[in-house]
Amino acid sequence: SPTNEEFVIVVKNIEPAVFQLCGETPKDLSEARDMINRLILQEHVTIPIRDSAIAHFTKEDAEMLNAMQRELTVSVQLEKKGQDSVIILEGLTKDVQIADSRIRDMIRKMERNETRRREAFFISSMVTWQYQENGRSLKNFDMFTNYDLEQAYQKRQPSVKIKINDDEYEANLVQQEAKRGRLRIELKRVDLEGATQSSLPSHWKDMTGQSVVLVKLTAGSKEYAEVEKQFTSTGLSSNSIIT
């Protein structure tokens, strides 16, 4: 869902240049003024960038836009309107082109992150990777580390770098252990699909071979509350649920 963070981008006010024209006749002055206006129009442009991903821009993204205003001769106006979100750039043509390229890179990065989030959420419903330190109880990895481990496992990679308690480890997927110097942490892969199939709720209906079945839950019901709890535990807002 679009971020609810509130931030303001102060549009940069560029100090104008002033031309003082002197000439022998009003015609000469008019021609000179028209020539200068044509040159200004050639070097000045306003363009809109429309993309729904702009609605997900954070304070950090806004600071990058403000930094562009300070660096380039360009003003940036951001309007977050969900699917109709837009960024309006205005300034010198060469600077607007540079800003346009950087903002589109920001949008592509946002889209990649959103795709990764969706894939990680899907994988977390099928497989859970866990770790055990010093014989303590098993802990689940966060959704994104779980995704990285499962991706490496499916691609038959022998190892992948991960973080445990903010320390970097090398996870050996063959031996199912994470190594950091002399430290060793045991890893475990739990197939949730296999575990679920053996204990499906009695009130679930047969999908009759269909890969996807849409089931509408009644708001306020026990099952709705359980699904909502699992949904919000991933870090997403309950406002994202469409009823």
Side-chain angles (χ1 to χ4, degrees):
S1 64
T3 176
N4 292 323
E5 287 185 289
E6 294 295 332
F7 52 80
V8 176
I9 293 182
V10 179
V11 177
K12 179 181 180 180
N13 291 320
I14 300 171
E15 192 68 25
V18 178
F19 292 86
Q20 292 183 336
L21 304 179
C22 298
E24 293 184 355
T25 66
K27 181 181 178 182
D28 292 339
L29 292 175
S30 178
E31 290 177 353
R33 183 186 60 196
D34 292 343
M35 182 189 71
I36 292 172
N37 283 333
R38 286 195 299 271
L39 292 172
I40 291 173
L41 290 174
Q42 290 173 10
E43 294 299 326
H44 183 274
V45 66
T46 300
I47 64 169
I49 302 175
R50 302 183 186 279
D51 198 291
S52 58
I54 294 172
H56 299 269
F57 274 21
T58 63
K59 288 183 179 179
E60 288 73 22
D61 296 316
E63 180 51 42
M64 290 182 66
L65 296 178
N66 277 321
M68 269 190 273
Q69 288 194 128
R70 294 191 293 269
E71 175 190 353
L72 305 171
T73 310
V74 61
S75 68
V76 180
Q77 181 180 347
L78 182 147
E79 298 178 14
K80 295 172 70 173
K81 302 177 181 177
Q83 295 291 324
D84 299 321
S85 295
V86 62
I87 293 175
I88 300 174
L89 301 176
E90 183 177 3
L92 293 179
T93 303
K94 61 182 180 64
D95 286 348
V96 167
Q97 290 173 346
I98 293 171
D100 176 66
S101 177
R102 292 181 184 177
I103 290 171
R104 295 191 187 278
D105 286 342
M106 291 169 64
I107 290 172
R108 284 191 288 270
K109 180 181 178 181
M110 182 74 66
E111 290 171 342
R112 289 194 297 269
N113 289 342
E114 189 61 26
T115 298
R116 186 168 183 263
R117 177 187 288 276
R118 288 197 299 267
E119 291 176 352
F121 178 70
F122 176 72
I123 290 295
S124 67
S125 68
M126 301 170 61
V127 174
T128 293
W129 281 84
Q130 302 173 324
Y131 65 96
Q132 185 178 32
E133 294 180 281
N134 302 323
R136 300 173 185 171
S137 59
L138 289 165
K139 294 182 179 180
N140 292 341
F141 281 103
D142 65 87
M143 185 172 69
F144 293 111
T145 304
N146 187 75
Y147 172 76
D148 292 337
L149 284 165
E150 184 59 20
Q151 286 287 91
Y153 179 83
Q154 294 296 335
K155 293 177 182 177
R156 299 184 183 279
Q157 292 178 211
S159 64
V160 63
K161 292 188 182 301
I162 61 172
K163 281 193 173 183
I164 300 176
N165 299 328
D166 293 327
D167 292 323
E168 189 172 89
Y169 286 76
E170 184 170 350
N172 186 313
L173 302 182
V174 178
Q175 300 176 359
Q176 294 210 356
E177 67 175 8
K179 304 176 183 178
R180 180 172 175 264
R182 296 182 179 181
L183 294 176
R184 297 289 186 274
I185 294 180
E186 181 183 345
L187 304 179
K188 183 178 181 181
R189 180 179 182 271
V190 180
D191 184 351
L192 299 178
E193 277 196 318
T196 302
Q197 288 175 0
S198 61
S199 58
L200 293 175
S202 58
H203 64 280
W204 282 18
K205 296 180 180 179
D206 192 336
M207 295 176 66
T208 62
Q210 300 177 77
S211 58
V212 177
V213 174
L214 180 65
V215 179
K216 186 172 180 61
L217 302 180
T218 303
S221 67
K222 180 181 178 181
E223 190 171 13
Y224 183 99
E226 290 176 354
V227 174
E228 182 181 30
K229 180 180 178 181
Q230 293 182 23
F231 183 81
T232 54
S233 68
T234 65
L236 300 173
S237 169
S238 59
N239 293 332
S240 305
I241 300 176
I242 301 173
T243 57

